[in-house]
Amino acid sequence: MDIRTVGVIGAGQMGNGIAHVFAQAGYDVLLTDISQQALDDAVALIDKNIERQVSRGKTTAEDKAAAMARIRTTLKLADLGPTDLVIEAATERETVKNAIFEDLQPHLAPHTILTSNTSSISITRLAARTDRPEKFMGFHFMNPVPVMQLVELIRGIATDEQTYKTMLKVVESLGKTAASAEDFPAFIVNRVLIPMINEAVYALYEGVGNVRSIDQSLKLGANHPMGPLELADFIGLDTCLAIMNVLHDGLADTKYRPCPLLTKYVEAGWLGRKTKRGFYDYRGPEPVPTR
């Protein structure tokens, strides 16, 4: 199947990055959100990010203008119905995602492939609530989307081979690399990454080290570009907690029990960079550890 038009649901951090890379790869993109302000902010951010690429010589002003012209926005979810491929990048809550697909379903073209950018929720379960489980896949981009090379492709139990092969070609057309994952809780990247972050929070909780010493240890001792607590703040502590809960509930293994300190930070509303406070306080000129 030839994918030409792409609908992206959600204009947040992931959605705007996905729209960015698809527009640059030559696809016509229709971006939707429940907020006009979110759509306007997303387009402005995409423009700013591509302008940065122009200034670094990674693209031209002409290519930037062409990419921006390929991005349209709408507040009406139904407008995405005729697109060849839909990518849902809304809040990481299953009830929200199910409601979106349910509202979209009556407007879909018969050939439209549905995908979710979920980082942990069962693709099989999401697909089963739609009228086309065979044309449904997990399409998990890493953050920030324009920079990160990997895309996880997750097949649900009903996903057919044609859909999978079509999505492999799409990933290749974006200049990215696909990692194929089976539909088990948190897939590959977050199955390994988030428990590591959770263990770092346990090390903080138990007083093994403070925020700075834990992050320095992994950066300098394991050659990680960011420390685990710094990375947790970047991802969002609410997202980390949600994924740990998916792992704990889905695998029923105590090794995936979320650290109580992670839960406390989320309860306090200290979610990381997006709220200016997490394991670091970002309200000043330099991030300051909060423990």
Side-chain angles (χ1 to χ4, degrees):
M1 182 184 161
D2 193 16
I3 305 290
R4 296 178 183 275
T5 57
V6 179
V8 180
I9 302 169
Q13 194 172 40
M14 297 305 294
N16 79 66
I18 292 167
H20 173 155
V21 298
F22 270 92
Q24 281 197 306
Y27 294 90
D28 291 323
V29 178
L30 184 56
L31 179 63
T32 188
D33 200 280
I34 56 172
S35 159
Q36 185 61 51
Q37 186 63 54
L39 291 171
D40 293 344
D41 289 348
V43 172
L45 183 58
I46 294 167
D47 187 278
K48 177 183 171 185
N49 287 339
I50 301 181
E51 185 58 40
R52 187 182 296 123
Q53 292 175 317
V54 173
S55 68
R56 292 174 179 172
K58 294 184 177 180
T59 190
T60 65
E62 292 78 11
D63 286 344
K64 176 199 168 186
M68 293 306 299
R70 285 191 283 266
I71 300 172
R72 294 182 298 121
T73 63
T74 180
L75 290 169
K76 296 177 182 175
L77 183 63
D79 290 347
L80 274 61
T83 59
D84 300 324
L85 169 65
V86 170
I87 305 163
E88 171 274 314
T91 305
E92 189 70 354
R93 287 206 301 272
E94 191 166 347
T95 52
V96 172
K97 295 178 187 296
N98 282 332
I100 286 168
F101 288 123
E102 186 178 335
D103 289 348
L104 184 60
Q105 188 165 296
H107 309 284
L108 290 171
H111 70 278
T112 302
I113 292 174
L114 295 179
T115 66
S116 175
N117 184 56
T118 179
S119 55
S120 60
I121 296 167
S122 167
I123 298 304
T124 299
R125 204 162 59 230
L126 288 173
R129 299 285 295 271
T130 74
D131 66 344
R132 59 195 69 205
E134 72 286 351
K135 284 181 162 45
F136 196 109
M137 282 200 75
F139 199 32
H140 181 216
F141 288 83
M142 306 298 121
N143 183 36
V145 179
V147 175
M148 300 296 280
Q149 181 66 25
L150 187 76
V151 181
E152 278 185 310
L153 281 183
I154 306 101
R155 280 185 276 199
I157 198 168
T159 307
D160 64 26
E161 190 66 15
Q162 184 187 355
T163 300
Y164 172 66
K165 286 182 175 175
T166 298
M167 295 312 298
L168 273 176
K169 287 182 182 176
V170 169
V171 174
E172 188 179 318
S173 75
L174 299 175
K176 295 191 181 293
T177 302
S180 298
E182 294 303 312
D183 185 24
F184 290 100
F187 319 131
I188 297 172
V189 173
N190 285 323
R191 172 75 176 263
V192 176
L193 175 66
I194 302 300
M196 182 200 76
I197 288 173
N198 193 55
E199 195 61 32
V201 182
Y202 266 115
L204 180 65
Y205 177 60
E206 294 167 5
V208 178
N210 60 28
V211 169
R212 201 175 293 284
S213 65
I214 291 167
D215 275 351
Q216 279 182 337
S217 295
L218 269 293
K219 281 198 281 192
L220 303 180
N223 205 28
H224 290 191
M226 296 172 75
L229 302 175
E230 185 184 3
L231 181 57
D233 278 356
F234 180 74
I235 293 167
L237 304 194
D238 52 340
T239 301
C240 294
L241 179 60
I243 295 169
M244 282 309 300
N245 281 324
V246 165
L247 283 164
H248 193 233
D249 295 344
L251 298 169
D253 191 325
T254 55
K255 74 179 180 179
Y256 298 115
R257 184 171 66 97
C259 180
L261 184 60
L262 178 60
T263 303
K264 282 294 174 197
Y265 268 73
V266 173
E267 287 174 346
W270 290 20
L271 308 181
R273 285 182 176 272
K274 60 188 173 185
T275 59
K276 304 292 187 189
R277 277 194 290 188
F279 292 114
Y280 292 85
D281 189 325
Y282 300 92
R283 293 174 297 175
E286 293 289 332
V288 177
T290 55
R291 286 179 92 83

